[in-house]
Amino acid sequence: MESKEELKRTLGFFPALATVMGSVIGSGVFFKGASVAQATQTTSLFMFVWIFAGVISICAALTGAEMAAAIPETGGMLRYIERGYGKTAAFLLGWAQVMIYFPAEVAALSIVFGTQVIHLLGLSQDFLVPIALSVAILTALLNFLGSRVGGLIQSIAFVMKLIPIILIIIFGILHQDTAQVSLFPLSVGHHLSFFPALGAGLLATMYAYNGWIYVGNIAGELKNPTKDLPRAISIGIVGVMIIYVLINYIFIKVLPISQLSGNEDAASKVAELLFGGIGGKIITIGILISVYGTINGYTMTAMRQPYTLAKEKLFPFWKLLVKVHKGTPIASGVLELILACTMICIAFFSNDGFNLLTDMLVFIIWLFYTLVFIALFLLRKREPDLLRPYKVPLYPIVPTIAILGGLFIICMTLFNDFALSLTGIGATLLGLPIYFYLKKKYHTPSI
């Protein structure tokens, strides 16, 4: 990982805010509504889950903002975990990101992209895997050309992703033929239990809210990280919540929840109802550009994770992975691409592959998110003199809500899908023997 001295502090508040909102707003806003509707089966619980997830995310963001301001170092979450629990825990986070989180993100997004292309062009489902693999490979190859190319794609996609969102909200509010929407009393679908339905819905929505903490990765490049970082995180996630609540209200206002439930083409269907056949296809193209931008963003980030561990000689084949060509860690990118393509193929032969991947990555990352929130309490006690330019408001209530929200997500995932949870934990802990072996062999400090 580059030291802070090697990076230029050129970024202000708006780039940080754009990074937060750009990282969070991706495919989830368009495609997770179908999963939430399937889990809840009522409009009241559907909307409650989006609001509830937003509140948890705001509390999580405010808590993470204190950590970001107190530890404004490049690496973000990795540094918070290391400061709170030591080098071994930080390695496990890095390992989980390399082996599960980032490749699962790229795989899930590529599957969504393929699904929408099939819907747009009226193709057979047989084309799903070839399209998904092609977009993952093409994106990686473009990023191998250098960070400037990836950055340009990201800038264009960030603007493009806002266009369909804004249009859907405006035309949805003006839409006259509405489905029946009941927000009270809070109820659950027939033959469903309240808390399992809430847990399943919450797990789906947390994927859509995910990504805000990664603005900490650019802390070393902010002009005033102690001031701008917490503001960007807190304001950004509030803005995201407002957008999510509005667009999902439009979804259930335009499309009956029975038709939204489990419908992978729901976003395109809503677009067609609002804008007509041609207009709907244009909006779908905008959604595709948005999804592609998110694939590109995660691809850019993913290829730098194995490189970070390899620099510390803490990853198998580190001598290969540490090599850089024209400023790009291509070998690390190839590793992440192979993992993502493997996950695409596995997901295709599984039921509901997109949700399988997203549930896995949300479960894993929230294990570490929750550790970050707990670390805030540990550091307040262990390092009372640590400079904290920003302190989480309403302490200890807000970080406690964040911790309880994290524990609820973890416990409900264990309850609803124990096999998936066990697989994620097992894959994460698999990194321990590798860590201790490499650490002993090379006698180097870990990250």
Side-chain angles (χ1 to χ4, degrees), residues 340-356:
C341 290
T342 301
M343 290 184 181
I344 289 171
C345 295
I346 292 173
F348 179 74
F349 293 105
S350 305
N351 291 326
D352 204 11
F354 171 65
N355 290 311
L356 176 71

Side-chain angles (χ1 to χ4, degrees), residues 32 128 139 209-210 229 248 269 319 347 349:
K32 273 299 179 179
L128 177 59
T139 307
Y209 279 103
N210 189 43
L229 205 55
N248 279 282
K269 181 64 176 177
K319 291 181 180 179
F349 293 105

Side-chain angles (χ1 to χ4, degrees), residues 62-79:
L62 292 172
T63 305
E66 177 173 324
M67 298 293 285
I71 312 172
E73 301 174 11
T74 298
M77 186 177 173
L78 199 71
R79 301 304 167 198

Side-chain angles (χ1 to χ4, degrees), residues 167-178 250 253 274:
L167 290 176
I168 288 173
I169 290 174
I170 293 175
F171 280 79
I173 291 173
L174 299 175
H175 186 70
Q176 296 299 319
D177 298 326
T178 61
I250 298 303
K253 178 175 181 284
L274 291 176

Side-chain angles (χ1 to χ4, degrees), residues 126-168:
D126 295 337
F127 286 93
L128 177 59
V129 170
I131 293 173
L133 291 174
S134 297
V135 73
I137 293 169
L138 175 63
T139 307
L141 292 176
L142 288 173
N143 277 275
F144 290 167
L145 297 177
S147 59
R148 182 172 296 181
V149 175
L152 178 62
I153 295 171
Q154 198 65 12
S155 299
I156 295 171
F158 175 67
V159 175
M160 291 299 297
K161 76 171 59 180
L162 296 179
I163 295 174
I165 290 174
I166 293 170
L167 290 176
I168 288 173

